[in-house]
Amino acid sequence: MTAPLHEARPAGPGRALPDTQQGMRRRNLARVMHTVSAAGPLSRAAVASRIGLTRAAVSTLVDELIRSGLLEELGPERPVRVGRGRPGSALAVSGRGPAGIGAEVGVDHLAVCAVDLRGQVRARIVRHGSNRGRSPAPVVKELTRLVRHVVAEAEREGLWPAGLAVAVPGLVAGDGRTVVRAPNLDWHDTDLGSLLPAELPLTVDNEANFGALAELWLGEGTPRDFLHVSAEIGIGAGVVVDGRLLRGKRGFAGELGHVPVRPDGPACACGGRGCLEQYAGEEAVLRAAGLEPGEDRVGLLAARATEGDEDVRRALRDAGEALGVALTGAVNLLDPESVVLGGALAGLAPWLLPSLRSELAGRTAGPACPVSVSRFGPEGPLLGAAHSVVRAVLDDPAAVAERS
Amino acid sequence: MTAPLHEARPAGPGRALPDTQQGMRRRNLARVMHTVSAAGPLSRAAVASRIGLTRAAVSTLVDELIRSGLLEELGPERPVRVGRGRPGSALAVSGRGPAGIGAEVGVDHLAVCAVDLRGQVRARIVRHGSNRGRSPAPVVKELTRLVRHVVAEAEREGLWPAGLAVAVPGLVAGDGRTVVRAPNLDWHDTDLGSLLPAELPLTVDNEANFGALAELWLGEGTPRDFLHVSAEIGIGAGVVVDGRLLRGKRGFAGELGHVPVRPDGPACACGGRGCLEQYAGEEAVLRAAGLEPGEDRVGLLAARATEGDEDVRRALRDAGEALGVALTGAVNLLDPESVVLGGALAGLAPWLLPSLRSELAGRTAGPACPVSVSRFGPEGPLLGAAHSVVRAVLDDPAAVAERS
DNA sequence: CTATTTCGTCATGGCGGTTTACAAATTAGT
DNA sequence: ACTAATTTGTAAACCGCCATGACGAAATAG
């Protein structure tokens, strides 16, 4: 029963459980966890009215969750006051117990963190240094060391790892383990499952997808329908529809970088012509700006743009324009509530946004789709990965209780 | 309790019912209906093993459904044989009881049909004649007459109408009643709910969406992730993701017609430039082919192309090319399993497909997304509409039993 | 200080699926 | 043809889960 933990993929609170009393119980446990997790400290009565069960039923559910160590009672010193009447006893998600381990394989860094059920980052390591062209085995070996380190640190705080989620800058197969293509790393058809320790349930996904999930779960007022655009060499988008990540048949959805912007434009590695990547991809922008590819390419662009370098600014303006054209297509197709720029794009937003927005507005009848910048910037994918494990626990607390 | 009947919109078998024993019962009733409906005559034991309940539980569910008239026992003359052992008694969806009424407001016709729970069309009327520029009131009045006629015919066969679903060639608001914009008809912000008889639960939706649903529900081997493209003056797409229709925030998803194909192309009514509609829309194609707009425009194009008219063929080839560019973007974004051409496009497919396919293949790395033609052609939206009502009954049989 | 309100829990009950057992209906094998 | 094996459908007893209603506990309002 470790399968339901891979929740960043199948997704949806407790779906697919059989419609029997046991399944009902499990779903109700999940609903209690989600409610308490989302709405802060809450009394049993408040939970009951929110999920539509009686106080008595919620009491038994809460008892079970407290026994499992997933929920805790804050104690009589910190009651939940409502007005007149006896104050409720405050329930909160436990700060001990299971933790989600998130990891990120970036082009220029590795990062690992541990997040508890409350959403707090409890341990964190970042190692800088380029991974371009390094073969998977040594990179993953190093990543494994970092994971073990973070897990050890988390365990010292009374946490135990419930799963590992890895964000990679590339396409991931539908199995949630295999990196099909990561151009920045030059990885192809690499099964991370066989390289990582098998102790933890594993999920691998695109960084744009995890970034989108971070936005969905952690962003304040984030809608249930939006596009999260993120870029390094390639440009990827995490598409969230009705609160769920859109993956597509093979798991390749969100390949914004190869949306045609000018059908007769320059040839692209994908076989097409005039793909967005040819105008707004990292290499294209650096070339247009007259810069040499170096270590921290995004930082370099941002620095030069800040200094007022006209070539760089023009290059970014043009990239924003191309992004605007591609996003117009996406917005027409998906009708999202907003578009969020995350990952590397977040740092370049000041110079991309004006042309992007005007292009989008000019091509749209009625009010244009609002474009914002992610609050998490480059941290999004890592946080999203760790939280995906946490969400899996919230989605089926009974499965975790069995293992603890 | 008429709300859950509008199932083409919220969709998803019995979701959102409370996780209480009553909700469980209702969901299990729905699962029995869906199973029997999908897998033909089935014994109680077969249903039980398919949905994961015990034979005893299924027996009580089936009893209830038979009492409600939604299921029927075929009788001892037509048993379900399995091999050794006692043969099962065959269960089938009832051919009487509730029926779905589907209606279509086309540019050149009105159509209404009644479909029983088995999916059979039991009554049908089509009235030819242009509706371009006619104001909503008289058109809907005429449609209402046709609906009453079909309902009367269905009732003579022992059916009763469970709901009415109307397909329109335009954008429909999120409420499922109001036509926001239908350029072919020149309707704007028209609330069909106030014009149609209030006796029946009503759903209004875009014809491309209903066409996509027909494909999803009735097509053989149709995947759960695909794009259904359909066109009259505008070009719309029904986007199906994981077996559910993608609607977007305002319900405007699938506006393929305004995806930019050439960012510097001719201006479009939407405010943009070079939208797909400027290359593959009906007017653009007619102009490129050197034809005058007349009554049956699609038929005219098809006829001329069949005759070998080079201008028409070239125009259609170019339109296919533009469609290919726009679809490349959509395919990259959504990673669907296939693309289906329906509605008016189905009739022009022989001349559109070659250039469309080669454009799509040339712009895609790896195997290109397969493009096929709808089996239903122009009938798709009408069938999808009627079936959406039927699906609503299957999704919550208990709600219907209360009304019968 | 009392009346009122709200919280959490307990006992009871209804409902729904499971378990177990059994009769009915058919095939396979002798 | 007759028996053994197999499968179906149903009935009775059981268990689990939530609802109902009542109660004591703990606060506020007057």
Side-chain angles (χ1 to χ4, degrees), chain A residues 51 80 102 112 155 183 190 194 205 258 273 290 303 351 354:
Chain A
I51 67 180
V80 181
V112 179
E155 281 173 345
T190 307
S194 64
D205 206 344
H258 297 288
R273 310 189 69 85
W351 303 280

Side-chain angles (χ1 to χ4, degrees), chain A residues 311-363:
Chain A
D311 289 343
V312 171
R313 290 197 172 179
R314 182 171 23 76
L316 290 173
R317 203 158 49 230
D318 291 350
E321 214 166 272
L323 265 167
V325 173
L327 283 174
T328 299
V331 167
N332 270 301
L333 217 53
L334 303 168
D335 186 28
E337 190 165 345
S338 73
V339 173
V340 180
L341 263 46
L345 290 180
L348 301 173
W351 303 280
L352 294 168
L353 271 181
S355 54
L356 193 169
R357 282 203 178 112
S358 81
E359 199 70 19
L360 193 55
R363 293 176 181 279

Side-chain angles (χ1 to χ4, degrees), chain A residues 189-351:
Chain A
D189 299 304
T190 307
D191 175 17
L192 294 189
S194 64
L195 298 173
L196 282 160
E199 312 142 24
L200 292 176
L202 173 68
T203 317
V204 181
D205 206 344
N206 187 301
E207 51 143 9
N209 280 346
F210 276 133
L213 290 173
E215 209 61 37
L216 174 69
W217 291 329
L218 273 36
E220 285 174 52
T222 306
R224 292 170 58 80
D225 295 84
F226 68 98
L227 232 70
H228 177 267
V229 185
S230 132
E232 303 220 25
I233 283 188
I235 298 174
V239 183
V240 175
V241 173
D242 195 28
R244 295 158 26 131
L245 202 50
L246 189 156
R247 298 190 172 280
K249 178 60 186 172
R250 297 166 303 175
F252 297 175
E255 276 283 273
L256 193 67
H258 297 288
V259 169
V261 170
R262 295 178 191 276
D264 306 318
C268 176
C270 75
R273 310 189 69 85
C275 300
L276 173 61
E277 213 165 284
Q278 299 301 314
Y279 303 97
E282 204 182 69
E283 293 204 12
V285 174
L286 285 171
R287 194 168 50 243
L291 297 177
E292 288 297 304
E295 263 299 275
D296 177 16
R297 310 178 183 199
V298 172
L300 179 64
L301 283 171
R304 290 288 174 83
T306 309
E307 289 165 14
D309 185 322
E310 261 314 314
D311 289 343
V312 171
R313 290 197 172 179
R314 182 171 23 76
L316 290 173
R317 203 158 49 230
D318 291 350
E321 214 166 272
L323 265 167
V325 173
L327 283 174
T328 299
V331 167
N332 270 301
L333 217 53
L334 303 168
D335 186 28
E337 190 165 345
S338 73
V339 173
V340 180
L341 263 46
L345 290 180
L348 301 173
W351 303 280

Side-chain angles (χ1 to χ4, degrees), chain A residues 21 24-25 28 53-57 81 83-87:
Chain A
Q21 290 186 322
M24 186 172 80
R25 181 77 176 172
N28 281 334
L53 297 180
T54 60
R55 296 199 308 266
R81 269 169 225 294
R84 300 182 291 284
R86 168 180 168 179

